Amino acid sequence: MKLEGTQTISAPREGVYRLLSDPAVIARLLPGCEKLEPAGPDTYEVKMKLGLAALSGSYQGTVKLSEQRPPEHLRLTVTSRGPWGFADGDGGFTLSEQGGQTTVHYAGELKVGGMVASIGSRLLDGAARMVIAQFFKNLEREAAAE
Amino acid sequence: MKRKEDPRLIQGLGHYVDDLSLPGQLYAAILRSPHAHARLRKIDRSAAERAAGVVAVITGEDIRGVLGTIPVAAALPELKVPPHYPLAIDNICYVGEPVAVVVADDRYRARDAVDLIEVDYEPLPAVTDPEKALEKSSPRVHEQFKDNQACLWKIEAGFPDRAFKKADRIVRQRFLNQRLIPVAMEPRGVLASYDPGPELLTVWSSTQIPHLLRTQIAAMLNVPEMRVRVIAPEVGGGFGSKLNVYGEEALVAHLAMKLGRPVKWMETRRENFLATIHGRDQIDDVEVAVKQDGRILALKCRLTADLGAYHQLLTPAIPTLTGLLMLGCYKIPAVKIEYVGVFTNKMATDAYRGAGRPEATYLIERMVDLVALELGKDPAEIRRQNFPKPKDFPYSTPTGVIYDSGNYEATLKKALELAGYKKLREEQKKLWKQGRYLGIGLSTYVEICAMGPSSAMPAGGWESGTVRIEPTGKVTVLTGASPHGQGQETSFAQVVADELGISPDSVIVIHGDTQAVPYGIGTFGSRATAVGGTAMFLAVQKLKDKLKRLAGHLLGVDPKRIEMGEGKLVVKGKPKKSKSFLEVVQAAYVAKTLPPNFEPGLEATTFFEPSNFTFPFGAHVCVVEVDAETGDVHILRYVAVDDCGNVINPLLVDGQVHGGIVQALGQALFEEAVYDENGQLLTGELMDYAIPRAWDVPRIETARTVTPSPVNPMGVKGVGEAGTIAATPAIVNAVVDALRPLGVRDIQMPLKRERLWALLEARGS
Amino acid sequence: MIPASFEYFAPRSLEEALQLLAHHGTEAKLLAGGHSLLPMMKLRLATPRTLIDLGRIRGLSYIREDGGRISIGAMTTHAEVESSELLRRRAPLLPETAAEIGDVQVRNRGTLGGSLAHADPAADYPAALLALDAECVLTSQKGTRTVVAKDFFVDMLTTALQAGEILTEVRFAADSPRTGSAYRKLHHPASGFAIVGVAARLTLDATGKGSAVSVGITGVAPKPYRATGVERGLLGQTLDAKRIAEASAQATRGVEPLSDLQASARYRAAMAAVFTRRALAAALGRAQKQG
Ligand SMILES: Cc1cc2nc3c(=O)[nH]c(=O)nc-3n(C[C@H](O)[C@H](O)[C@H](O)COP(=O)(O)OP(=O)(O)OC[C@H]3O[C@@H](n4cnc5c(N)ncnc54)[C@H](O)[C@@H]3O)c2cc1C
């Protein structure tokens, strides 16, 4: 599934970039993230609770940062697997600034497999939107706290 | 006569696999791959093995060299056959492929432990589009083969190229016959038990083919066949999906032997979607050469069949049936077909109600409508013009089959009359003017039934039947055609009772147990009555001869002068001179006053080998209205006139026609197994995969013509799949016809509302 | 199809249920009709450690009217709503909606409270609750609070229910005179849920103008919503087919429709307009019939 969109964060670009590339912050941005630990260069192991309200399960996986070109671009690759299958997200973030505000354009792909794919397709669109909205809400909050 | 099966089924007194339990029984649960293509790097089962109640966990490594591969019975030139193990060894090729089996003391704990198995998969690129799979750059499903082409099969006859040169018009169209999921009401299930004393392995399986399964289990487990007993108890539907030998059947049998305890496995609905065979999935690129006057001179088709990752029992053979039937009920003198079978990272396709024939009928019936459209003629007229005439039968088609008997014009005439075709066309014109979309769809079909002569089948096309008159005059029939909902217990009892002049209530039909029933092939391909029924019919003739001989002896007259009466054997022309049926039967068993060289007892078996398939046919008319705002299709009328030869039980025939039409409606309007490009099955549950519900089904008006088959003595043909074969194009033709004012000439199945809405919207309705 | 193990309680009173809920916290799930929860448990998409069955509690299943206000207990089944004489007379929108849910078996087991608490984005009831301006009564050990339907549905499968709370009742005003309502639904061919479900209720004043118009839409967006754009276009206007058609074009104003295998966002939006128009037209006809 393709994911693409634009969000505006009320903070300057440098700051937003710093947040997006800081593993400690990423742990707080990813909805349901319970643990994030280094596991190699720009790679982290994660444990997270993924899903929708009552329908959530524990996943293990990795988060990888790449294509880092501060302060305008970076790429985040998340892989996760759990009892229902797997969910892998891969997306580039492009940041631009206007009047002290940062516009974050994201474009990526979500791949799900196993049970999540075969019985969740009806809810996938909405669920992805929820996760993305939560991610940016968290980012906004982090930016405000800076 | 009502179905003898129903009282017990309706009262919940039937026994399906999951109703059976044995002392000490264990349960198996299967871990399946979430990846469509991957290498198995490592499997850690230690946590699962330690879990409460777990007795064993096995993986592909444990069966390497122990269990044989899953058989494929289809013989095609240069067929590539990848080894297909009951559990994946080294590689995964589709989502749902079994990776490990947990056996535990109850099904909950078995299932719990499945989640504790850690599998390290190395995902590989997958391919799910059969045409992409044929490209050079495509990932290969099986690395050992140089490409994904599984087989290539061709038919050419009657100089098609020449015919195309002579054509006034050439009509072309591509049809996608989408992948379907059979969804039998009862999923698969296996219970196996090994008794070390008699060294007997007993396997209860929800199968259509108990004897073939027994042979194959013996081979896969390397156990002598006489030490294997397979029982198909009550089977809750199959539609071809249980005309197969599955890895789970071998695995469960193997585990029961290995662990020394009975093991049961019941497929979940989710597994049923992922790992029971799928149906259809063909791309047909068709062109026909036509004369201005409407005569069709030749047909060419390139058929690309998505076979999935592995072969199941008949996988690559199914599209060959499409080939054989592709010219439908038309006298088309030249043909050229090229069928390419392709491996993809999906579940295998195989026989699903109609098995190759719905695909053929769909494309030819759609094509004939397109020809009519192209020439501005009435679709009924084009059909009539190209039918073979009654005097042409038996009619040999360029594809190499011989249609046994037929009168196609008569069925079409009857169907059009019943539907009020002329009036409907007038009505349609009026409604079109009001911006309403009424459509009338025809489908005149012929199909191949009574599979079939052994020469044309992968392995054995005969059937066995045994009739035993018991000492009390009651009758036991044993049939190798193992029914699973069709109603043979009723129709076979009727035939035997009729022949013997007794009540059907005195006859029981036993099936499905390899220890009770002589070797048989099974119920599929609309063969049970025409082949299995004939075997039984011939067996009962042997008994009739015997009874007459004995009665003649008892009455002191020439047996030739004896005939069967109601409950008695009578001397012809002397109704008072008779012996009751029971007296004669008892004499055969008491055996004190037998004619010379007369064997005591009354049991006879026949193995019947048919000389040809049978070819039922019919004409269906469907009337629809498409909601111009939503794209919703409303079926207003459905008229089905079928000719399946002589009819034994009209209720059963109507039931088969109704059910078949409903399944066709599913394919025409909403069923579709959707895989994404990574090989994930997106329609993995009944929440997403739409099968017809009661409220989707229109009233179906049925009627018949009767053209007996010369191929068997009862003159029967078969009707198990006719509805499915006929109705899909009838419905699609109706919808396309409805939207004709918009310039629509074809719509891809399923005719989802959104698809129709988009057409309506684009053309500014 | 085999759920994970769980502990099961069948409290006999609401107090006992609340106590159990407080004690077991987020590991516990309430069980009502089980027709959303059990399928998820069988697939192990939900693995609650504890189930608290509300089925044995007396007094959670009722439909009554008191001074023009109707209240319905959370454990009232879809079938009871569908067949309620009181509702058919006083708020026919709800029985009409209930009749569109699933099949007979589902309606015999499923409950109003369960459907609302589950908050499936394609469930039918939410559209009607929004159109009825209903209130949800949430009860916890701390007492009760009331949340209006609009605020009850927070997001996909997410409601305003907090830990320790049970949805106990739904309340709304019975229809006033010259009120008509209708529920119109485009069924998902597989699940039977709503691809689009529109509940409309409108009241006419003496001159035939719409004095109250409400439209609730389900299935289209991650959560059910009130089509305020449509309502604004009709309020205070003389209602007729043309006006309704115009206003219905606003059915998805301000929402981003969902997209799935059965319906793209574009199709959903178009159908939202069609079914809004159909629901409103039917509602108008019924209001006018009341003379
Ligand atoms: C085959 C099928 C078809 C269906 N078709 C439709 C349809 O067309 N339209 C439709 O709208 N629905 C449909 N449903 C869903 C059905 O209406 C469910 O019954 C309903 O969604 C849930 O109600 P329930 O009483 O079964 O709740 P349950 O399944 O028992 O519970 C659902 C959720 O709500 C919570 N809960 C239950 N009661 C309360 C309460 N009082 N307070 C707080 N939380 C509570 C539970 O903990 C659980 O999380 C269908 C279901 C099935 C199985």
Side-chain angles (χ1 to χ4, degrees), chain C residues 29-30 32-37 78 102 110-111 115 117 123-124 167 185 192-193:
Chain C
K29 281 250 120 215
L30 297 170
H35 268 48
S36 289
L37 185 55
H78 308 335
T111 67
S115 174
D124 294 296
L167 170 61
K185 171 180 182 181
F193 276 81

Side-chain angles (χ1 to χ4, degrees), chain A residues 54, chain B residues 687 693, chain C residues 21 28-40 51 54 60 74-75 78 100-103 106-107 109-120 122-126 161 165-168 185 187 191-194:
Chain B
M687 284 288 279
R693 311 297 170 102
Chain C
L21 193 57
K29 281 250 120 215
L30 297 170
L31 176 67
H35 268 48
S36 289
L37 185 55
L38 296 188
M40 295 190 318
L51 280 191
L54 300 178
L60 281 181
M75 288 297 286
H78 308 335
E100 293 292 324
I101 300 176
D103 49 40
V106 172
R107 295 198 289 277
R109 292 292 309 170
T111 67
L112 176 62
S115 174
L116 298 178
H118 185 56
D120 191 295
D124 294 296
Y125 272 141
L161 276 162
E165 283 184 328
I166 297 179
L167 170 61
T168 45
K185 171 180 182 181
H187 293 80
S191 71
F193 276 81

Side-chain angles (χ1 to χ4, degrees), chain C residues 25-260:
Chain C
T26 52
E27 298 292 344
K29 281 250 120 215
L30 297 170
L31 176 67
H35 268 48
S36 289
L37 185 55
L38 296 188
M40 295 190 318
M41 287 174 63
K42 286 181 171 183
L43 291 163
R44 300 199 175 204
L45 285 172
T47 49
R49 203 166 291 163
T50 306
L51 280 191
I52 303 169
D53 188 348
L54 300 178
R56 310 281 171 86
I57 302 175
R58 269 168 205 277
L60 281 181
S61 167
Y62 52 84
I63 300 170
R64 29 178 197 253
E65 183 179 356
D66 195 2
R69 297 285 290 173
I70 289 175
S71 41
I72 306 180
M75 288 297 286
T76 308
T77 63
H78 308 335
E80 287 160 350
V81 170
E82 180 187 359
S83 60
S84 159
E85 275 308 316
L86 173 67
L87 291 177
R88 285 183 185 196
R89 252 185 309 114
R90 303 289 287 140
L93 179 58
L94 211 55
E96 187 176 1
T97 307
E100 293 292 324
I101 300 176
D103 49 40
V104 175
Q105 290 93 323
V106 172
R107 295 198 289 277
N108 279 337
R109 292 292 309 170
T111 67
L112 176 62
S115 174
L116 298 178
H118 185 56
D120 191 295
D124 294 296
Y125 272 141
L129 276 259
L130 284 168
L132 293 169
D133 268 325
E135 297 172 342
C136 300
V137 180
L138 315 184
T139 307
S140 70
Q141 284 191 311
K142 283 181 258 163
T144 67
R145 65 185 179 113
T146 326
V147 179
V148 294
K150 194 163 66 61
D151 299 330
F152 181 76
F153 303 106
V154 173
D155 209 327
M156 198 175 248
L157 305 181
T158 312
T159 67
L161 276 162
Q162 295 292 320
E165 283 184 328
I166 297 179
L167 170 61
T168 45
E169 188 180 271
V170 172
R171 298 178 189 148
F172 51 87
D175 285 358
S176 42
R178 289 176 63 81
T179 295
S181 63
Y183 183 64
R184 290 292 179 268
K185 171 180 182 181
L186 183 65
H187 293 80
H188 187 290
S191 71
F193 276 81
I195 288 178
V196 172
V198 183
R201 178 160 85 157
L202 54 84
T203 306
L204 300 176
D205 67 14
T207 64
K209 292 201 168 99
S211 60
V213 181
S214 56
V215 177
I217 299 187
T218 188
V220 173
K223 64 169 185 176
Y225 63 95
R226 278 280 288 263
T228 46
V230 179
E231 295 171 0
R232 266 199 304 275
L234 298 175
L235 211 58
Q237 305 290 328
T238 304
L239 299 186
D240 57 24
K242 187 159 167 278
R243 187 138 264 149
I244 284 175
E246 277 165 18
S248 298
Q250 303 297 317
T252 48
R253 192 185 192 148
V255 304
E256 216 183 302
L258 292 169
S259 186
D260 62 21

